[in-house]
Structures are given as structure tokens and as C-alpha cells.
Amino acid sequence: MALFTDQSSERTGEPRRRGGLKGWVVLGVALVAGIALGVVPSPYVIEQPGPVFNTLGTAPNADDVETPLITIPDETVYPTEGNLDLLTVSVFGNRETRPSWLAVATAWFDPSRAVIPLDQVFPDDVTTEQRDSVNQAAMVNSQQDAIAAALTHLKYDYPTNVSVVSLPDGSPAEGILQEGDVIIAVDGTSVGSIGALRAALQETGPDAPVAVDILREGAAQTVQVTPVENAGSVVLGINVTTTYQFPFTVDLELDRVGGPSAGMMFSLGIIDKLTPGSLQGGAHVAGTGTIDQAGDVGPIGGIQQKLYGAKDAGAEWFLAPAESCGDVTGHIPDGLTVFSVKTLDDALTALDAIRTGADTSALPSCPTK
């Protein structure tokens, strides 16, 4: 019996030693894998909620001095209440500094963050500096459109010009039109907006010269350009922007933020400052969306992150572009009510309902599920 007991101990002890060794090997592999996941860069970047700015309040300028986001020095400005927040998205990572696989794995399980392929946000042929420059230009243009939309809503009259920004390679207008030219008319039809320019070109059709009246350095002249068809549209082969001659100065101050998505909220802030009373009755409202001179609200990116940014900032109400509702549905944080808006008037209707405490259930909204 003693011999049997001793042999049994030897037989059971040996596997125990081997099992312990396997456990240490597994632990070692896991540690190495964890370290690798923590340091090996991934081919992704992470979008997450960025800073939130109240268009009725202040923000640090380039010198870190608190400055009103909207200043209208030469007009009567009325007191405002509450928040009309514009929202931003921060991108963690770029081509030079990519997030680790561990950071990506963590973001996958966070509903307020999104994992995006690196090439989708930072194309290989575009540097980070070039991307930032384009986004900053988009912000500047959107601010001008926001002012135009607000003043148009308030029935102010002001001239609008369409100016040439650049000519792509192979443009039919190359050597004829140049940067800075103001397009006055096409084939006798006045052009006061980009939409009017497109309509005039569609009317003339492609492949035949048309008379283009321009202002170049203040001097009027007429040139001949032959439009071409591109993706179903008739074009002159020029990149243009709309410039406005506003009846008074509206300064919009928001440094280190790019892109066009703040347009609608800036328009609402301008209207609130130029009209008596509070548009939303002092409530905390956030929103996002591009806007044009006519007040049409357009879709934006990163809206899921903006929803969580709004909620974290304390907003109870959210104005979302109708065309972005597909990205909103199923991603609305608890306690946040989202309205779907197609125009500036839609947004103002929602704010009026919030202000008066009216039943908002009949207003257009993005489905929660």
C-alpha cells in the first residue's frame, strides 16, 4: 500500500508541474500580446466628442483671451439666455501618430466614439497641414453663409457676388477667367449666387461659347467661355465661392475649429442677438448642420459623437439635419430630444416650441430606434 501511494503521488505530481509551466507560458504570451497591442500602431483613427461652444457665450481666442463668439458692434444687440451650442468632433491620431490597437479596441466598445480607417480621414496624398487648411477655409466660408442666412431671414438686403477661387487643370476657362474674377452674368442672365450660376449654365447648355460678364479688379468686361458637361451638369470649369456685402459687421470668433458644420447654430445665435427676447426661452439647446444663404440645412459628419458631446455638456434638446437622421437613429443618448430640421425656419419653429413649452411631439424628429 505504501508503494502504491508513493507511485500515485509521482504520477499526479508530474502533470501538475507541466500544467503550471503551461500556465506561465500562456500568461507570458498574454503579457507580450498586451504590450504589443498597447504600442503597435493601427491603420485607424478614433473620432470622439470634441469641445462644445455656446454661440451666445465666449470662447478663448488665439491669444487664449475669452472673446464672444458673436459680436455685432454697430447694431442694437439684445440680451440672450441659455445655450445654443455648436458641437465639434476631435480626431485621435493621424498619419504621423496612429492610435494603438489597444486604444482602437477600447473605442470599439464606447458608443460615443467611432473607429475610422486612417485613409478615410487622412488620404495618403493629403498632409495633415493641408487637411487642416481645407477645414479652416470651410469654417470661414460657412461663417459667411451663416451670417447671410440670418440676415436673409431678418429681411436685410445686401449684394451677393460669385467669385472665382481657382481653376482646375484642363479647365475650359483656363487663360480666360482667373482667380478673383467676379461673375456678374452668363449669356445676359444675372448671377447673384452659385445656384443662379448653375441654373444659367444649364439653360445655355454645353459645347457652345457663352458671354460671361465679369468684374476684374473693379473693371467690367465680357469674355467668351465654352462650357462643358460634367457628371450631368454644365460647368465653366471653375471653383467659385459666394461673397456677401453685408449692411453691417458681424464678427464670428472661433479659433482652432474647422469644417462647415457650425453654420446653422451660428445663424440662430445671430438671430437671437438681433431680436428681442430669447429664442429658446433660456433652455440648453445644441445642434449641428451646414447652412446656405437661403437657410437650407445640410448634413454633416460625426453626428453620433456630437450627440454624446451635447449630452455631456448638459443639453436637453438637439437640432439635427434631416439628411443625417440615418446616422442619428439608434444612437440618441437617454434624456436628449432630437428634432429633425431641413431649414432655418424648422429650427426656429422647434426653438419657439421649447420656449413656450408647447407640445413638441408633432414636430419632425429623428426616430429613436
Side-chain angles (χ1 to χ4, degrees):
M1 291 295 293
L3 180 60
F4 178 80
T5 302
D6 289 344
Q7 289 174 335
S8 176
S9 296
E10 290 173 3
R11 285 196 300 271
T12 57
E14 185 174 340
R16 190 177 298 119
R17 288 194 298 272
R18 287 201 299 267
L21 179 60
K22 288 179 180 178
W24 282 109
V25 170
V26 171
L27 180 60
V29 171
L31 286 173
V32 171
I35 293 171
L37 286 172
V39 298
V40 174
S42 71
Y44 298 98
V45 294
I46 300 168
E47 288 187 346
Q48 54 197 12
V52 177
F53 301 96
N54 180 13
T55 60
L56 304 178
T58 64
N61 63 13
D63 299 319
D64 287 326
V65 176
E66 287 290 325
T67 305
L69 268 71
I70 301 173
T71 304
I72 310 172
D74 302 322
E75 289 291 297
T76 299
V77 174
Y78 297 91
T80 59
E81 297 179 77
N83 289 59
L84 291 173
D85 287 346
L86 66 84
L87 305 149
T88 67
V89 173
S90 295
V91 177
F92 175 60
N94 53 40
R95 287 206 167 271
E96 292 74 30
T97 309
R98 292 179 286 164
S100 68
W101 280 103
L102 183 59
V104 167
T106 302
W108 259 317
F109 294 97
D110 186 342
S112 71
R113 307 168 80 192
V115 177
I116 310 293
L118 176 68
D119 290 340
Q120 185 174 322
V121 181
F122 297 96
D124 188 40
D125 57 347
V126 178
T127 67
T128 299
E129 291 75 16
Q130 289 172 328
R131 176 181 177 273
D132 290 344
S133 177
V134 169
N135 282 338
Q136 190 57 45
M139 169 59 85
V140 172
N141 289 335
S142 75
Q143 289 178 347
Q144 293 300 297
D145 290 339
I147 298 170
L151 298 192
T152 297
H153 171 80
L154 294 172
K155 309 301 183 185
Y156 286 96
D157 291 324
Y158 54 89
T160 303
N161 294 325
V162 177
S163 302
V164 179
V165 177
S166 62
L167 287 80
D169 292 339
S171 165
E174 190 171 4
I176 304 171
L177 295 173
Q178 62 188 40
E179 179 182 344
D181 287 347
V182 176
I183 310 296
I184 303 299
V186 171
D187 209 22
T189 300
S190 296
V191 171
S193 68
I194 294 175
L197 173 61
R198 290 172 178 159
L201 289 171
Q202 287 296 121
E203 185 69 24
T204 62
D207 305 325
V210 297
V212 180
D213 298 332
I214 64 171
L215 280 178
R216 178 174 296 168
E217 298 180 349
Q221 56 181 287
T222 299
V223 297
Q224 298 286 323
V225 182
T226 301
V228 297
E229 188 168 354
N230 182 19
S233 298
V234 181
V235 300
L236 291 175
I238 55 177
N239 297 318
V240 297
T241 188
T242 304
T243 56
Y244 310 102
Q245 299 177 37
F246 298 126
F248 49 83
T249 299
V250 179
D251 290 324
L252 303 182
E253 183 79 37
L254 188 59
D255 291 315
R256 297 185 287 271
V257 175
S261 65
M264 177 181 67
M265 298 311 293
F266 266 129
S267 287
L268 293 172
I270 294 166
I271 293 170
D272 203 359
K273 284 179 173 283
L274 288 173
T275 54
S278 171
L279 287 183
Q280 85 294 26
H284 195 148
V285 180
T288 186
T290 65
I291 202 161
D292 63 17
Q293 182 183 16
D296 293 323
V297 175
I300 48 82
I303 195 165
Q304 294 174 19
Q305 288 68 56
K306 292 177 180 180
L307 288 165
Y308 282 93
K311 176 63 177 177
D312 290 344
E316 298 178 86
W317 312 89
F318 192 98
L319 305 174
E323 292 183 58
S324 295
C325 271
D327 295 323
V328 170
T329 300
H331 301 282
I332 302 175
D334 291 339
L336 192 66
T337 300
V338 179
F339 297 110
S340 166
V341 298
K342 294 181 178 180
T343 65
L344 184 59
D345 285 344
D346 289 345
L348 289 165
T349 297
L351 293 184
D352 188 62
I354 294 170
R355 179 183 61 82
T356 60
D359 181 10
T360 61
S361 61
L363 293 177
S365 62
C366 296
T368 57
K369 296 181 181 180

